[in-house]
Amino acid sequence: MSTKHTIPSDEELTAFIDGELTTEERARIEAIVKEDESVAERLDFLARASLPFEPAFAPLLTEAPREKLEAMLAAIPAHDGARSASAPAATRRRFLGALAASLVAGIAIDRAVIGIGRGFSAKDENSEWRAVVADYISLYTAETLAGPVPGRQDQAAQLASLDEKLRLSLSPEAVSLTGVDFKRALLLQYDGKPLAQIAYLDPETGPMALCIVKSDAGPKAPDLENRKGMNVVYWSNATHAFMLIGHATAGRMTAIADGVRGKVAVEF
């Protein structure tokens, strides 16, 4: 007969993954994982959602009002016998870990909501990465992407770092979006696979992003869905899956996606 146990929170599971728990806490969670299949599945899911939230959102921590940030950190309860209250760096890491876990936790809610939207299917194996990316992009603000537009040479250098991993040939011209400013290109990772994120700032509606990941699911014509209050146009070819996400209207997002779709589909 199994003993009754308290289900670990996502914050605790994230701390377990990051190696931030005490020996006793680790042993407790390991025992629960062995006994409870649902907890084991949740732990595996959080471990696979490996987008680097902390580096990408460092600007938010830097620019956020100090009083508000400190209040958020102070609201996180400490566990008895665990990290010292005099370790602000560890507290900040736990806050960021909890942020990542909270983002991933939103995916289950998204599935229920998006299920009534056009183009969503539970059998679509690419839907999960789009959900995680949408959670990630939903925290972007205009301030996150503030600053001058990089020159063509800087854009080309950033894009070149994506080409080798993604097996694409990306140029500033290929990823340019009409009426939308290029801001930065990042190489991220999801489920052990490289994920390219090209971030833009639309003067009218705010952050927008073109994301690309390798996929063997086969070609798929463009389709539309809504995630986290943003419109997502997604499609795939024989080797890659693509998504354009932003706050612009569905019609405008579709038009922008149509303009860029053929230009970023060229492999080495």
Side-chain angles (χ1 to χ4, degrees), residues 109-182:
I109 299 173
D110 280 348
R111 283 181 175 149
V113 175
I114 298 167
I116 63 174
R118 185 168 72 88
F120 180 82
S121 169
K123 296 180 180 179
D124 178 4
E125 66 181 39
N126 281 321
S127 66
E128 191 171 275
W129 82 277
R130 297 197 306 271
V132 174
V133 170
D135 281 323
Y136 185 73
I137 299 298
S138 70
L139 290 191
Y140 277 20
T141 67
E143 288 72 24
T144 309
L145 301 172
V149 175
R152 188 193 184 286
Q153 186 174 353
D154 288 339
Q155 292 184 31
Q158 292 181 37
L159 293 169
S161 67
L162 310 179
D163 286 345
E164 182 178 354
K165 294 290 186 180
L166 272 294
R167 302 296 296 172
L168 289 169
S169 182
L170 302 174
S171 68
E173 292 75 22
V175 301
S176 64
L177 306 183
T178 303
V180 183
D181 294 331
F182 177 106

Side-chain angles (χ1 to χ4, degrees), residues 176-224:
S176 64
L177 306 183
T178 303
V180 183
D181 294 331
F182 177 106
K183 284 298 183 175
R184 67 188 185 206
L186 298 173
L187 181 64
L188 308 177
Q189 178 175 290
Y190 174 72
D191 200 12
K193 297 184 292 188
L195 187 157
Q197 180 204 106
I198 305 168
Y200 307 84
L201 186 60
D202 178 12
E204 296 180 10
T205 62
M208 188 177 294
L210 174 67
C211 299
I212 311 169
V213 68
K214 284 186 177 180
S215 171
D216 57 4
K220 179 177 176 58
D223 211 337
L224 179 71

Side-chain angles (χ1 to χ4, degrees), residues 2-173:
S2 62
T3 58
K4 207 170 179 182
H5 57 255
T6 302
I7 301 298
S9 66
D10 280 350
E11 182 187 358
E12 290 176 303
L13 293 177
T14 303
F16 178 87
I17 293 166
D18 293 340
E20 295 182 356
L21 298 181
T22 64
T23 302
E24 292 77 10
E25 289 173 321
R26 287 192 64 84
R28 179 179 68 85
I29 290 182
E30 285 172 354
I32 295 174
V33 167
K34 290 178 181 178
E35 181 180 338
D36 192 322
E37 184 178 352
S38 65
V39 176
E41 291 176 352
R42 186 65 179 165
L43 179 66
D44 178 66
F45 184 82
L46 292 173
R48 289 190 295 109
S50 54
L51 288 173
F53 291 90
E54 182 171 356
F57 288 101
L60 292 181
L61 290 175
T62 302
E63 297 172 10
R66 182 176 181 83
E67 296 79 6
K68 184 176 180 180
L69 178 59
E70 293 300 331
M72 293 170 69
L73 293 174
I76 300 175
H79 294 283
D80 295 337
R83 289 150 298 283
S84 167
S86 64
T91 303
R92 188 175 297 272
R93 286 196 298 272
R94 284 300 301 278
F95 171 72
L96 288 165
L99 169 64
S102 297
L103 293 176
V104 175
I107 294 171
I109 299 173
D110 280 348
R111 283 181 175 149
V113 175
I114 298 167
I116 63 174
R118 185 168 72 88
F120 180 82
S121 169
K123 296 180 180 179
D124 178 4
E125 66 181 39
N126 281 321
S127 66
E128 191 171 275
W129 82 277
R130 297 197 306 271
V132 174
V133 170
D135 281 323
Y136 185 73
I137 299 298
S138 70
L139 290 191
Y140 277 20
T141 67
E143 288 72 24
T144 309
L145 301 172
V149 175
R152 188 193 184 286
Q153 186 174 353
D154 288 339
Q155 292 184 31
Q158 292 181 37
L159 293 169
S161 67
L162 310 179
D163 286 345
E164 182 178 354
K165 294 290 186 180
L166 272 294
R167 302 296 296 172
L168 289 169
S169 182
L170 302 174
S171 68
E173 292 75 22

